[in-house]
Amino acid sequence: MLRVFCARGRNIFIMKLITNVEYFTRWGEELFLRAFGRLYGMEYAGDGKWRAEIGRLEPGMTFEYRYELHYGGLCRRTEWEPHVVTMPEKNSRKPLEIRDSWNDVPDGLPFRSAPFAEGVFDRRGDGPWKAAGTAVPVFSLRSRNSFGIGEFHDLKLLVDWAALTGQKILQLLPVNDTTMTGTWEDSYPYNANSSFALHPQFIHLPDAGVPEDEAYMRLKDELDSLPEVDYERVSREKERLLREAFRTGGAKLARTGAYKTFMEENAHWLLPYAAYSVLRDEFGTADCSLWKRGSGKGNAGEDYSVYDREKVGAYIASHRKETGYYCFVQYHLHVQLSEARDYAHSRGIVFKGDLPIGVSRTSADAWVNRKLFNMDSQAGAPPDAFSADGQNWGFPTYNWDEMAKDGYAWWKARMKSMSQYFDVFRIDHILGFFRIWEIPVSGKSGLMGHFNPALPYQTGELERMGFHVSGIPGRKVHDDGKDVLFVEDPHRKGWWHPRIAAQFTDAYSQLDDWHKQAFDRLYDDFFYHRHNAFWKESAMRKLPSLLSATGMLACGEDLGMVPDCVQEVMNEYSILSLEIQRMPKSPRDMFGDPAHYPYYSVCTTSTHDMNPIRAWWEEDRKVTCDFWHAVMHRSGDAPVVCEPWICGEIVRKHLESSSMLTILPLQDWLSVDGDLRLADPAKERINVPSIPRYYWRYRMHLTLEDLLSQDRFNDMVMEMICSAGRKG
């Protein structure tokens, strides 16, 4: 064994681990062991026995490893749960030898998740277990006690309504802090400044020590009377009142055992987040690259643009009051959301959270863990039905190789934090774990992006197909750089990605028929076939580690340009798919059929990125008529307005779907009642993805208390849910 000199001044032996596992492979298959972000080859000893050695291990160290099955140079299977080993504390020249068995994905994995394992859901009964729920952002809630915006406190009333109508799941948008500019642009919930911190806008002020005096009640009533959220004013007034509450009660709270425990358990993210928040306020920007000497009102001569643990620790020590305020707010948010979760559990209901795929480049996460992100690129989405130019989210892409080195510790901490409040979660843009649409940092739209990871074509490969990169026939490049057939890989010169939607460019139109056919063939191969096994391996290296780190029930948002491997992986790990009738999975279908959705799926009428039922009905007359005839099997002209009975029929069909979960937007539940629904359907939309800076401010037009009192409507919802067999 190797010997090294320990920092303590004594010699230690570097130890060795030998693992053995039984696995009967087929011809061409090999087993590997993955640990510390790298692969270790395994030796086959016959009779299905495989052996691996890991050296240079220190006494007492604990680490995880997984076995992987490879074929053709790619990972085809990986274990569900990792093996965890702790090396002996005492030095030994003798290797530690372990005999393992392969950890398969458990049968019926969704029913082993937290809602079932913790007894919130009862699976007993005849037939497949099915449940219904409602999707609504927290900021959209309205109650008699809220302060111009929905709050965690309001979730209890929403739980009461769900229980009254026989629902089991309440789906929320991300609830993390997004405060960066101090303007309405911070209303975008998918651009958090921290993957751990909760948004101060959701705090119920009286429970945080703000007195309900006359001035408070007057301001509350004024803000609550607004038809939509006034994001800037609500945030400004809440901060003003919270700072006063911290001034009068912060010191007393800090002495309590509950607060001390919260600080101790969350210090790893909370203290850097608090320092980030104070520095953001001090320098007047969330862009940490500008936190340098001479660029702020205070701290002249200091440089915090690059996170340094010791320097930031000293900053926190010298700014205890300022950073303490942000810890005070996070404590109250944690308590209030935890209370809402406990109340939901007591009524047989769970919250479904949302795990955004991206992290802001000006977030505390990117500041503290810069090496985990590729800051020279941006994540987005290729063109689709929502956006002809694609989407540019502006988030840096993930450095997955760096994340793998510590077993995806940042992701696991993020999932653990989320599971404190949620029992079910939606993986936003699950395709991002297979590949991401990467756009140059200088890019504006998503058109000039490319997939990463990917297998681009080499120059010689293209030339053999008749495409000479230096002079492709008919190739014409405009100043905007968009009128091209191929995009060069930014990391490898001489490697080329077909430009997405290239068939709509002038460059394509000027090709002769032979070159058009050749381009169409390679385009189809590149986007739908070439990467299938490659992207599956990419996901296999990440998803098992993340999914097995939490007890939450996993649901995937699998919309868009979805390769076949996505469904394969989701099936293997029992991740519930997302099914939307107006976005069928098969390109041959105009509309999906809820009766034929897979059981492990979430069925819905609309998402926050789409128009709810009524506004969609008025979007495109031709599509509406097609739906009227082909889906509703009606003759004649479709009604111009989506009348309550039409909405009711659509809702019933979704409740009767074969999906495990039917979760409908609150707006679509209300659409079935002509007296309750909002007069103007256009006012019900939450987001328009094609508008990069959209104001997220939709709010219920009636209070939750009013909703609870609507006996006729609530009885109708209960009847629809029960008759569809969704009692949960």
Side-chain angles (χ1 to χ4, degrees):
M1 290 186 183
L2 296 175
R3 298 183 65 169
V4 300
F5 188 72
C6 178
R8 298 173 185 169
R10 61 184 178 84
N11 289 330
I12 62 170
F13 287 97
I14 295 297
M15 304 178 71
K16 180 188 290 184
L17 171 70
I18 298 175
T19 72
N20 299 272
V21 67
E22 183 178 80
Y23 193 103
F24 290 93
T25 56
R26 293 178 295 183
W27 185 89
E29 295 178 337
E30 294 180 278
L31 247 57
F32 288 85
L33 182 149
R34 185 178 292 277
F36 309 112
R38 58 165 290 194
L39 281 178
Y40 293 83
M42 299 192 72
E43 178 184 337
Y44 184 60
D47 296 325
K49 304 294 193 301
W50 292 82
R51 183 175 184 272
E53 290 187 5
I54 308 177
R56 304 183 65 81
L57 301 174
E58 295 185 7
M61 74 182 300
T62 299
F63 64 97
E64 298 179 352
Y65 61 90
R66 274 182 167 88
Y67 297 111
E68 294 183 1
L69 177 71
H70 285 229
Y71 178 78
L74 297 174
C75 175
R76 300 305 174 100
R77 285 193 76 205
T78 187
E79 292 186 286
W80 169 245
E81 289 185 316
H83 303 272
V84 182
V85 64
T86 299
M87 300 300 293
E89 292 284 349
K90 187 177 179 181
N91 270 326
S92 173
R93 296 178 182 271
K94 184 179 179 182
L96 173 65
E97 189 158 359
I98 292 177
R99 297 194 178 278
D100 292 319
S101 57
W102 181 279
N103 288 329
D104 268 318
V105 179
D107 292 334
L109 184 60
F111 296 106
R112 296 171 181 259
S113 62
F116 297 94
E118 296 174 9
V120 183
F121 291 165
D122 186 355
R123 195 185 171 192
R124 292 174 296 180
D126 298 329
W129 186 92
K130 293 183 178 182
T134 293
V136 59
V138 176
F139 62 76
S140 298
L141 301 177
R142 184 189 295 268
S143 78
R144 294 171 190 165
N145 292 315
S146 50
F147 193 82
I149 196 168
E151 300 171 348
F152 291 149
H153 188 270
D154 296 326
L155 287 170
K156 296 178 183 179
L157 288 172
L158 187 64
V159 165
D160 288 340
W161 177 69
L164 181 66
T165 53
Q167 300 179 60
K168 291 293 181 182
I169 295 182
L170 294 173
Q171 178 175 319
L172 312 176
L173 288 184
V175 292
N176 296 104
D177 189 5
T178 59
T179 309
M180 281 182 273
T181 68
T183 70
W184 65 264
E185 291 189 357
D186 293 342
S187 68
Y188 178 38
Y190 289 90
N191 192 39
N193 66 31
S194 169
S195 297
F196 300 87
L198 300 171
H199 203 308
Q201 69 180 353
F202 298 132
I203 203 166
H204 185 57
L205 294 169
D207 289 353
V210 174
E212 296 181 90
D213 55 22
E214 184 179 344
Y216 171 85
M217 295 303 295
R218 188 166 56 248
L219 181 57
K220 181 192 83 70
D221 291 343
E222 180 188 344
L223 291 171
D224 244 9
S225 66
L226 300 175
E228 297 174 304
V229 176
D230 185 338
Y231 184 94
E232 292 180 17
R233 193 169 177 212
V234 166
S235 296
R236 185 170 63 248
E237 295 293 353
K238 282 201 171 188
E239 181 177 17
R240 176 179 65 81
L241 293 169
L242 282 170
R243 286 193 180 276
E244 179 61 23
F246 172 69
R247 188 185 67 79
T248 58
K252 181 179 179 181
L253 177 68
R255 293 192 292 270
T256 64
Y259 185 82
K260 290 177 181 177
T261 299
F262 172 76
M263 290 294 297
E264 196 173 297
E265 292 178 349
N266 296 279
H268 67 97
W269 68 264
L270 181 57
L271 293 179
Y273 159 78
Y276 161 92
S277 299
V278 176
L279 286 164
R280 175 201 62 209
D281 299 345
E282 203 169 86
F283 284 91
T285 177
D287 185 351
C288 65
S289 67
L290 302 177
W291 296 350
K292 300 177 182 179
R293 65 173 57 87
S295 61
K297 292 177 286 187
N299 293 311
E302 295 293 339
D303 186 344
Y304 295 98
S305 60
V306 176
Y307 180 80
D308 180 276
R309 186 174 180 179
E310 288 188 12
K311 183 184 285 189
V312 172
Y315 180 85
I316 293 171
S318 63
H319 293 75
R320 291 193 182 279
K321 185 176 292 185
E322 294 90 339
T323 55
Y325 164 74
Y326 287 100
C327 297
F328 167 87
V329 172
Q330 287 301 311
Y331 170 78
H332 282 294
L333 287 163
H334 166 72
V335 168
Q336 292 180 19
L337 184 52
S338 296
E339 287 177 352
R341 173 213 58 202
D342 292 343
Y343 183 74
H345 284 183
S346 74
R347 306 218 61 186
I349 291 164
V350 300
F351 295 147
K352 179 184 177 184
D354 198 319
L355 182 73
I357 187 60
V359 170
S360 172
R361 64 179 61 250
T362 57
S363 66
D365 300 85
W367 179 51
V368 175
N369 304 290
R370 188 179 181 88
K371 64 182 180 180
L372 301 182
F373 305 94
N374 298 316
M375 303 299 284
D376 60 349
S377 64
Q378 325 178 69
D384 59 17
F386 295 122
S387 177
D389 284 345
Q391 298 176 45
N392 182 354
W393 303 325
F395 309 134
T397 58
Y398 294 118
N399 185 342
W400 289 108
D401 290 338
E402 188 65 35
M403 288 178 162
K405 291 179 181 177
D406 61 6
Y408 307 101
W410 177 81
W411 275 102
K412 290 177 180 177
R414 187 180 177 188
M415 303 284 276
K416 180 181 178 182
S417 177
M418 190 177 187
S419 66
Q420 295 177 94
Y421 317 112
F422 302 101
D423 294 278
V424 185
F425 75 113
R426 168 188 179 270
I427 306 174
D428 171 49
H429 196 68
I430 194 171
L431 277 74
F433 291 94
F434 294 76
R435 67 353 177 224
I436 198 71
W437 188 249
E438 188 173 81
I439 305 162
V441 74
S442 59
K444 301 298 181 186
S445 76
L447 273 176
M448 296 304 290
H450 63 278
F451 288 127
N452 185 15
L455 300 169
Y457 296 106
Q458 282 185 289
T459 299
E461 193 174 359
L462 287 179
E463 290 179 345
R464 285 192 295 274
M465 298 179 189
F467 291 97
H468 300 278
V469 176
S470 60
I472 296 172
R475 184 173 181 268
K476 180 180 176 185
V477 182
H478 291 311
D479 291 339
D480 60 10
K482 294 180 181 179
D483 191 17
V484 295
L485 297 177
F486 299 93
V487 176
E488 189 169 23
D489 191 283
H491 309 295
R492 291 181 291 177
K493 293 293 182 183
W495 295 78
W496 302 86
H497 304 253
R499 206 215 82 169
I500 191 75
Q503 288 89 341
F504 299 100
T505 64
D506 287 342
Y508 178 84
S509 68
Q510 295 175 31
L511 294 177
D512 58 44
D513 289 343
W514 186 92
H515 278 96
K516 284 181 179 177
Q517 292 171 9
F519 184 82
D520 290 345
R521 285 194 299 271
L522 69 85
Y523 184 95
D524 183 66
D525 175 64
F526 187 87
F527 285 107
Y528 297 102
H529 306 289
R530 183 180 177 93
H531 296 90
N532 210 49
F534 180 69
W535 283 338
K536 182 175 182 178
E537 183 200 39
S538 174
M540 286 291 210
R541 283 190 266 118
K542 309 157 191 168
L543 280 174
S545 290
L546 309 185
L547 295 173
S548 62
T550 173
M552 293 186 288
L553 173 61
C555 308
E557 186 261 296
D558 55 336
L559 305 177
M561 188 181 283
V562 183
D564 292 341
C565 61
V566 174
Q567 196 59 59
E568 293 172 16
V569 173
M570 291 180 69
N571 289 341
E572 183 163 350
Y573 296 111
S574 300
I575 303 170
L576 275 62
S577 63
L578 178 61
E579 306 295 334
I580 304 174
Q581 191 168 33
R582 65 183 98 154
M583 291 188 69
K585 295 293 172 63
S586 172
R588 296 185 298 274
D589 298 330
M590 182 176 291
F591 302 104
D593 183 358
H596 293 97
Y597 290 163
Y599 175 63
Y600 281 156
S601 69
V602 179
C603 166
T604 189
T605 47
S606 319
T607 74
H608 61 270
D609 283 332
M610 305 165 69
N611 260 326
I613 292 174
R614 292 192 298 145
W616 168 75
W617 189 268
E618 300 175 17
E619 236 177 36
D620 187 318
R621 184 66 182 161
K622 182 184 182 305
V623 172
T624 300
C625 289
D626 289 339
F627 186 87
W628 174 256
H629 297 135
V631 177
M632 301 190 72
H633 305 294
R634 306 282 173 166
S635 59
D637 291 336
V640 175
V641 174
C642 197
E643 298 168 6
W645 72 267
I646 298 175
C647 296
E649 186 169 321
I650 293 172
V651 166
R652 282 187 183 276
K653 289 296 183 184
H654 282 73
L655 288 169
E656 293 166 358
S657 76
S658 50
S659 300
M660 180 180 180
L661 303 176
T662 293
I663 303 176
L664 308 182
L666 179 66
Q667 304 95 304
D668 288 349
W669 281 117
L670 295 174
S671 72
V672 306
D673 190 302
D675 296 325
L676 275 187
R677 60 189 193 172
L678 188 62
D680 183 0
K683 295 290 186 181
E684 292 185 325
R685 183 144 193 181
I686 294 172
N687 177 49
V688 180
S690 60
I691 302 176
R693 293 289 180 264
Y694 192 80
Y695 196 168
W696 297 57
R697 61 189 313 198
Y698 164 74
R699 199 159 183 228
M700 294 174 63
H701 61 287
L702 72 166
T703 67
L704 287 161
E705 292 90 346
D706 289 339
L707 183 60
L708 281 162
S709 70
Q710 303 297 320
D711 295 339
R712 181 178 58 82
F713 170 72
N714 292 329
D715 288 346
M716 178 170 56
V717 173
M718 169 68 93
E719 182 276 325
M720 287 194 292
I721 290 172
C722 290
S723 64
R726 293 194 175 274
K727 299 178 182 179

